[in-house]
Amino acid sequence: MKNSAFLVFAGLFLLVGCHSETGKTKNGVVLSVAPIIKKIAPKKTMADAATILSKKEVPILCYHNIKELKASDGEMTKTYTVSPANFAQQMKALSDAGYHSILPNQLYDYLAYGVPLPSNPVMITFDDTRGEQFSIGASVMKKYGFTGVFFVMTVSIGRPGYLSKEQIKSLSDSGNVVAAHTWDHHMVTKYAGDDWNTQLVKPKNKLEEIIGKPVTYFAYPFGLWNKAAIPELKKSGYQMAYILATKRDSVDPLYTIRRIIVAGQWSTPSTMEAIKSSFNKEL
């Protein structure tokens, strides 16, 4: 009888010891054990398209060339080229105005799940894999604590004047985001057959091999898109895609995120004003 009582007591002692709550006792004898209830975090519900479209837009800037213009350069080159001095002035103006750079994962969480952003958010992006985006762009941004998004056209990697594998890896390792911009800048609206694999899947795989991280963001060449591209982007593993300053899709707004090209003809005050006028829903 004594042995049985001892075993019961020992069992209760062990049971209590395995729980964070001890339960009730009297004169050292356990009378009951409080149940342990595990709290399970509720699953986040992703916002629907209408909710995403109703959210205040974040200003997103798109740069291409950062270099001095030549007298022979045409109007298109002038539009897509910002001088190093102007780029530096623009980054300083953003910093002085209290802007904080954000990255795509932050924008995604804000749009899809309502996660708050820092005050005065802005996203700084670069297209077309130009080498000066590393030597000038990333260097100047770092001075102001900014990070950016580099949309890489993989056919150009390692060519003279373009980003090398080592530079792309360095951009990623230093807190910037490396994303896809197709293989050869062939516009999405003309894809057929194996083009989807060539322009979406293979560039994604190549960039992931270089940086050792998932690549889940995409920018349409020329900002041109169509509805046929969105399911292909989803199937290829992209969770967000960027256009230029045109209307967003009413069904899949995460695959038509708006940006504006910072034109080379703009002064710094013009650039700051364009941010407000193009993304006029204040955060």
Side-chain angles (χ1 to χ4, degrees), residues 188 191-201 226 228-229 232 236:
V188 166
Y191 291 179
D194 198 51
D195 288 339
W196 300 108
N197 183 57
T198 300
Q199 302 289 352
L200 301 185
V201 178
N226 57 14
E232 295 293 338
S236 300

Side-chain angles (χ1 to χ4, degrees), residues 49-50 52-53 220 225-228 230-231 234 243 246-258:
I52 291 171
L53 288 166
Y220 300 95
W225 64 281
N226 57 14
K227 287 186 177 292
I230 294 176
K234 291 179 179 180
I243 59 174
T246 54
K247 188 176 180 180
R248 293 177 290 172
D249 184 59
S250 61
V251 178
D252 284 297
L254 290 176
Y255 289 85
T256 49
I257 302 293
R258 292 179 63 252

Side-chain angles (χ1 to χ4, degrees), residues 18-262:
C18 293
H19 291 71
S20 59
E21 299 180 31
T22 58
K24 298 179 180 179
T25 63
K26 184 176 181 181
N27 298 326
V29 178
V30 177
L31 300 179
S32 65
V33 178
I36 300 300
I37 300 174
K38 292 183 178 180
K39 294 182 179 179
I40 300 174
K43 186 177 180 180
K44 290 183 179 180
T45 301
M46 185 173 176
D48 59 22
T51 301
I52 291 171
L53 288 166
S54 71
K55 288 181 177 290
K56 297 169 184 176
E57 289 185 273
V58 172
I60 305 178
L61 309 180
C62 176
Y63 290 93
H64 289 78
N65 308 317
I66 308 173
K67 63 180 183 179
E68 300 295 347
L69 286 167
K70 301 189 295 290
S72 59
D73 287 331
E75 284 303 310
M76 183 67 75
T77 301
K78 290 177 181 178
T79 296
Y80 282 79
T81 303
V82 174
S83 72
N86 281 349
F87 181 79
Q89 288 174 8
Q90 290 162 11
M91 295 301 105
K92 183 178 186 302
L94 288 171
S95 178
D96 289 347
Y99 280 93
H100 298 91
S101 66
I102 67 165
L103 295 175
N105 64 310
Q106 293 171 279
L107 180 63
Y108 183 88
D109 287 344
Y110 161 68
L111 293 173
Y113 300 112
V115 177
L117 290 172
S119 59
N120 295 325
V122 66
M123 189 182 295
I124 306 164
T125 72
F126 301 85
D127 286 6
D128 295 357
T129 329
R130 300 289 181 175
E132 69 266 14
Q133 296 172 2
F134 175 85
S135 59
I136 300 173
S139 177
V140 173
M141 286 195 300
K142 184 178 180 180
K143 179 179 177 181
Y144 297 102
F146 294 156
T147 50
V149 188
F150 294 80
F151 290 104
V152 175
M153 182 173 58
T154 52
V155 71
S156 300
I157 296 174
R159 290 182 176 181
Y162 291 88
L163 295 171
S164 67
K165 289 182 179 180
E166 292 75 19
Q167 289 172 330
I168 291 170
K169 180 71 162 60
S170 177
L171 286 169
S172 177
D173 288 348
S174 57
N176 300 285
V177 167
V178 171
H181 196 40
T182 75
W183 175 58
D184 65 353
H185 215 263
H186 188 63
M187 62 180 65
V188 166
T189 53
K190 295 186 176 181
Y191 291 179
D194 198 51
D195 288 339
W196 300 108
N197 183 57
T198 300
Q199 302 289 352
L200 301 185
V201 178
K202 288 183 178 179
K204 183 179 189 295
N205 293 341
K206 184 176 182 67
L207 291 172
E208 289 177 342
E209 181 182 333
I210 292 171
I211 66 173
K213 300 174 186 175
V215 170
T216 55
Y217 309 110
F218 178 85
Y220 300 95
F222 311 103
L224 299 175
W225 64 281
N226 57 14
K227 287 186 177 292
I230 294 176
E232 295 293 338
L233 285 163
K234 291 179 179 180
K235 186 168 63 177
S236 300
Y238 296 99
Q239 67 175 165
M240 200 155 57
Y242 294 76
I243 59 174
L244 291 175
T246 54
K247 188 176 180 180
R248 293 177 290 172
D249 184 59
S250 61
V251 178
D252 284 297
L254 290 176
Y255 289 85
T256 49
I257 302 293
R258 292 179 63 252
R259 303 184 292 167
I260 59 169
I261 293 175
V262 179

Side-chain angles (χ1 to χ4, degrees), residues 1-13:
M1 186 69 177
K2 289 182 179 180
N3 289 339
S4 298
F6 173 79
L7 291 173
V8 170
F9 179 82
L12 286 170
F13 178 81

